[in-house]
PDB file of all heavy atoms in Angstrom:
ATOM      1  N   ASP A  31     -34.222 -33.523  -8.196  1.00  0.00           N
ATOM      2  CA  ASP A  31     -33.594 -33.333  -9.495  1.00  0.00           C
ATOM      3  C   ASP A  31     -34.375 -32.343 -10.320  1.00  0.00           C
ATOM      4  O   ASP A  31     -33.813 -31.511 -11.037  1.00  0.00           O
ATOM      5  CB  ASP A  31     -33.489 -34.678 -10.230  1.00  0.00           C
ATOM      6  CG  ASP A  31     -32.500 -35.617  -9.550  1.00  0.00           C
ATOM      7  OD1 ASP A  31     -31.693 -35.107  -8.754  1.00  0.00           O
ATOM      8  OD2 ASP A  31     -32.572 -36.833  -9.797  1.00  0.00           O
ATOM      9  N   SER A  32     -35.671 -32.399 -10.225  1.00  0.00           N
ATOM     10  CA  SER A  32     -36.507 -31.509 -11.017  1.00  0.00           C
ATOM     11  C   SER A  32     -36.292 -30.057 -10.609  1.00  0.00           C
ATOM     12  O   SER A  32     -36.229 -29.162 -11.427  1.00  0.00           O
ATOM     13  CB  SER A  32     -37.994 -31.883 -10.840  1.00  0.00           C
ATOM     14  OG  SER A  32     -38.826 -31.006 -11.548  1.00  0.00           O
ATOM     15  N   ILE A  33     -36.119 -29.869  -9.276  1.00  0.00           N
ATOM     16  CA  ILE A  33     -35.893 -28.501  -8.771  1.00  0.00           C
ATOM     17  C   ILE A  33     -34.575 -27.955  -9.298  1.00  0.00           C
ATOM     18  O   ILE A  33     -34.472 -26.821  -9.724  1.00  0.00           O
ATOM     19  CB  ILE A  33     -35.895 -28.517  -7.227  1.00  0.00           C
ATOM     20  CG1 ILE A  33     -37.316 -28.763  -6.738  1.00  0.00           C
ATOM     21  CG2 ILE A  33     -35.381 -27.193  -6.682  1.00  0.00           C
ATOM     22  CD1 ILE A  33     -37.428 -28.948  -5.220  1.00  0.00           C
ATOM     23  N   VAL A  34     -33.509 -28.789  -9.343  1.00  0.00           N
ATOM     24  CA  VAL A  34     -32.203 -28.339  -9.837  1.00  0.00           C
ATOM     25  C   VAL A  34     -32.295 -27.915 -11.288  1.00  0.00           C
ATOM     26  O   VAL A  34     -31.770 -26.901 -11.704  1.00  0.00           O
ATOM     27  CB  VAL A  34     -31.158 -29.461  -9.662  1.00  0.00           C
ATOM     28  CG1 VAL A  34     -29.854 -29.080 -10.335  1.00  0.00           C
ATOM     29  CG2 VAL A  34     -30.924 -29.729  -8.166  1.00  0.00           C
ATOM     30  N   VAL A  35     -32.998 -28.713 -12.083  1.00  0.00           N
ATOM     31  CA  VAL A  35     -33.118 -28.404 -13.517  1.00  0.00           C
ATOM     32  C   VAL A  35     -33.908 -27.124 -13.724  1.00  0.00           C
ATOM     33  O   VAL A  35     -33.541 -26.250 -14.495  1.00  0.00           O
ATOM     34  CB  VAL A  35     -33.793 -29.578 -14.260  1.00  0.00           C
ATOM     35  CG1 VAL A  35     -34.096 -29.206 -15.693  1.00  0.00           C
ATOM     36  CG2 VAL A  35     -32.918 -30.811 -14.198  1.00  0.00           C
ATOM     37  N   GLU A  36     -35.024 -26.996 -12.975  1.00  0.00           N
ATOM     38  CA  GLU A  36     -35.887 -25.843 -13.174  1.00  0.00           C
ATOM     39  C   GLU A  36     -35.328 -24.576 -12.540  1.00  0.00           C
ATOM     40  O   GLU A  36     -35.826 -23.492 -12.788  1.00  0.00           O
ATOM     41  CB  GLU A  36     -37.281 -26.136 -12.563  1.00  0.00           C
ATOM     42  CG  GLU A  36     -38.034 -27.215 -13.295  1.00  0.00           C
ATOM     43  CD  GLU A  36     -38.362 -26.834 -14.722  1.00  0.00           C
ATOM     44  OE1 GLU A  36     -38.570 -25.623 -14.981  1.00  0.00           O
ATOM     45  OE2 GLU A  36     -38.388 -27.721 -15.576  1.00  0.00           O
ATOM     46  N   SER A  37     -34.261 -24.709 -11.684  1.00  0.00           N
ATOM     47  CA  SER A  37     -33.740 -23.538 -10.963  1.00  0.00           C
ATOM     48  C   SER A  37     -33.079 -22.535 -11.874  1.00  0.00           C
ATOM     49  O   SER A  37     -32.814 -21.406 -11.455  1.00  0.00           O
ATOM     50  CB  SER A  37     -32.768 -24.002  -9.882  1.00  0.00           C
ATOM     51  OG  SER A  37     -31.622 -24.586 -10.475  1.00  0.00           O
ATOM     52  N   SER A  38     -32.770 -22.884 -13.106  1.00  0.00           N
ATOM     53  CA  SER A  38     -32.161 -21.929 -14.029  1.00  0.00           C
ATOM     54  C   SER A  38     -33.210 -21.158 -14.833  1.00  0.00           C
ATOM     55  O   SER A  38     -32.853 -20.279 -15.625  1.00  0.00           O
ATOM     56  CB  SER A  38     -31.223 -22.660 -14.989  1.00  0.00           C
ATOM     57  OG  SER A  38     -31.939 -23.571 -15.780  1.00  0.00           O
ATOM     58  N   ILE A  39     -34.461 -21.478 -14.662  1.00  0.00           N
ATOM     59  CA  ILE A  39     -35.536 -20.804 -15.381  1.00  0.00           C
ATOM     60  C   ILE A  39     -36.361 -19.983 -14.391  1.00  0.00           C
ATOM     61  O   ILE A  39     -36.812 -20.504 -13.372  1.00  0.00           O
ATOM     62  CB  ILE A  39     -36.471 -21.808 -16.090  1.00  0.00           C
ATOM     63  CG1 ILE A  39     -35.672 -22.676 -17.060  1.00  0.00           C
ATOM     64  CG2 ILE A  39     -37.605 -21.094 -16.805  1.00  0.00           C
ATOM     65  CD1 ILE A  39     -35.123 -21.944 -18.246  1.00  0.00           C
ATOM     66  N   ALA A  40     -36.490 -18.711 -14.685  1.00  0.00           N
ATOM     67  CA  ALA A  40     -37.325 -17.835 -13.846  1.00  0.00           C
ATOM     68  C   ALA A  40     -38.621 -17.558 -14.592  1.00  0.00           C
ATOM     69  O   ALA A  40     -38.609 -16.967 -15.668  1.00  0.00           O
ATOM     70  CB  ALA A  40     -36.578 -16.537 -13.560  1.00  0.00           C
ATOM     71  N   ASN A  41     -39.740 -17.997 -14.021  1.00  0.00           N
ATOM     72  CA  ASN A  41     -41.069 -17.776 -14.595  1.00  0.00           C
ATOM     73  C   ASN A  41     -41.767 -16.683 -13.777  1.00  0.00           C
ATOM     74  O   ASN A  41     -41.983 -16.857 -12.555  1.00  0.00           O
ATOM     75  CB  ASN A  41     -41.893 -19.055 -14.570  1.00  0.00           C
ATOM     76  CG  ASN A  41     -41.337 -20.084 -15.541  1.00  0.00           C
ATOM     77  OD1 ASN A  41     -41.336 -19.865 -16.741  1.00  0.00           O
ATOM     78  ND2 ASN A  41     -40.864 -21.209 -15.010  1.00  0.00           N
ATOM     79  N   LEU A  42     -42.097 -15.581 -14.410  1.00  0.00           N
ATOM     80  CA  LEU A  42     -42.727 -14.469 -13.740  1.00  0.00           C
ATOM     81  C   LEU A  42     -44.087 -14.166 -14.361  1.00  0.00           C
ATOM     82  O   LEU A  42     -44.372 -14.554 -15.494  1.00  0.00           O
ATOM     83  CB  LEU A  42     -41.845 -13.207 -13.814  1.00  0.00           C
ATOM     84  CG  LEU A  42     -40.397 -13.335 -13.334  1.00  0.00           C
ATOM     85  CD1 LEU A  42     -39.680 -12.016 -13.533  1.00  0.00           C
ATOM     86  CD2 LEU A  42     -40.323 -13.760 -11.882  1.00  0.00           C
ATOM     87  N   SER A  43     -44.886 -13.441 -13.604  1.00  0.00           N
ATOM     88  CA  SER A  43     -46.127 -12.916 -14.161  1.00  0.00           C
ATOM     89  C   SER A  43     -45.838 -11.571 -14.804  1.00  0.00           C
ATOM     90  O   SER A  43     -44.785 -10.974 -14.581  1.00  0.00           O
ATOM     91  CB  SER A  43     -47.174 -12.765 -13.064  1.00  0.00           C
ATOM     92  OG  SER A  43     -46.744 -11.783 -12.119  1.00  0.00           O
ATOM     93  N   GLU A  44     -46.765 -11.102 -15.631  1.00  0.00           N
ATOM     94  CA  GLU A  44     -46.566  -9.804 -16.274  1.00  0.00           C
ATOM     95  C   GLU A  44     -46.442  -8.697 -15.225  1.00  0.00           C
ATOM     96  O   GLU A  44     -45.657  -7.747 -15.390  1.00  0.00           O
ATOM     97  CB  GLU A  44     -47.744  -9.501 -17.204  1.00  0.00           C
ATOM     98  CG  GLU A  44     -47.786 -10.431 -18.420  1.00  0.00           C
ATOM     99  CD  GLU A  44     -48.928 -10.054 -19.370  1.00  0.00           C
ATOM    100  OE1 GLU A  44     -49.645  -9.071 -19.059  1.00  0.00           O
ATOM    101  OE2 GLU A  44     -49.067 -10.736 -20.392  1.00  0.00           O
ATOM    102  N   LYS A  45     -47.198  -8.861 -14.126  1.00  0.00           N
ATOM    103  CA  LYS A  45     -47.157  -7.872 -13.064  1.00  0.00           C
ATOM    104  C   LYS A  45     -45.776  -7.859 -12.404  1.00  0.00           C
ATOM    105  O   LYS A  45     -45.241  -6.796 -12.091  1.00  0.00           O
ATOM    106  CB  LYS A  45     -48.232  -8.187 -12.026  1.00  0.00           C
ATOM    107  CG  LYS A  45     -48.376  -7.110 -10.962  1.00  0.00           C
ATOM    108  CD  LYS A  45     -49.534  -7.414 -10.025  1.00  0.00           C
ATOM    109  CE  LYS A  45     -49.667  -6.336  -8.960  1.00  0.00           C
ATOM    110  NZ  LYS A  45     -50.786  -6.625  -8.020  1.00  0.00           N
ATOM    111  N   GLN A  46     -45.160  -9.056 -12.190  1.00  0.00           N
ATOM    112  CA  GLN A  46     -43.826  -9.127 -11.600  1.00  0.00           C
ATOM    113  C   GLN A  46     -42.756  -8.513 -12.510  1.00  0.00           C
ATOM    114  O   GLN A  46     -41.846  -7.850 -12.043  1.00  0.00           O
ATOM    115  CB  GLN A  46     -43.477 -10.600 -11.289  1.00  0.00           C
ATOM    116  CG  GLN A  46     -44.226 -11.169 -10.108  1.00  0.00           C
ATOM    117  CD  GLN A  46     -43.949 -12.643  -9.936  1.00  0.00           C
ATOM    118  OE1 GLN A  46     -43.944 -13.397 -10.892  1.00  0.00           O
ATOM    119  NE2 GLN A  46     -43.726 -13.070  -8.681  1.00  0.00           N
ATOM    120  N   VAL A  47     -42.908  -8.753 -13.825  1.00  0.00           N
ATOM    121  CA  VAL A  47     -41.960  -8.161 -14.782  1.00  0.00           C
ATOM    122  C   VAL A  47     -42.002  -6.661 -14.696  1.00  0.00           C
ATOM    123  O   VAL A  47     -40.954  -5.984 -14.701  1.00  0.00           O
ATOM    124  CB  VAL A  47     -42.295  -8.646 -16.214  1.00  0.00           C
ATOM    125  CG1 VAL A  47     -41.449  -7.886 -17.225  1.00  0.00           C
ATOM    126  CG2 VAL A  47     -42.052 -10.143 -16.354  1.00  0.00           C
ATOM    127  N   GLN A  48     -43.200  -6.097 -14.604  1.00  0.00           N
ATOM    128  CA  GLN A  48     -43.330  -4.638 -14.511  1.00  0.00           C
ATOM    129  C   GLN A  48     -42.808  -4.125 -13.178  1.00  0.00           C
ATOM    130  O   GLN A  48     -42.160  -3.074 -13.102  1.00  0.00           O
ATOM    131  CB  GLN A  48     -44.799  -4.246 -14.698  1.00  0.00           C
ATOM    132  CG  GLN A  48     -45.330  -4.524 -16.105  1.00  0.00           C
ATOM    133  CD  GLN A  48     -46.816  -4.205 -16.225  1.00  0.00           C
ATOM    134  OE1 GLN A  48     -47.454  -3.786 -15.268  1.00  0.00           O
ATOM    135  NE2 GLN A  48     -47.355  -4.402 -17.424  1.00  0.00           N
TER     136      GLN A  48
END
Side-chain angles (χ1 to χ4, degrees):
D31 291 343
S32 178
I33 290 173
V34 173
V35 173
E36 293 296 328
S37 66
S38 64
I39 302 292
N41 291 296
L42 306 178
S43 65
E44 292 183 1
K45 187 176 180 180
Q46 287 175 316
V47 171
Q48 293 176 359

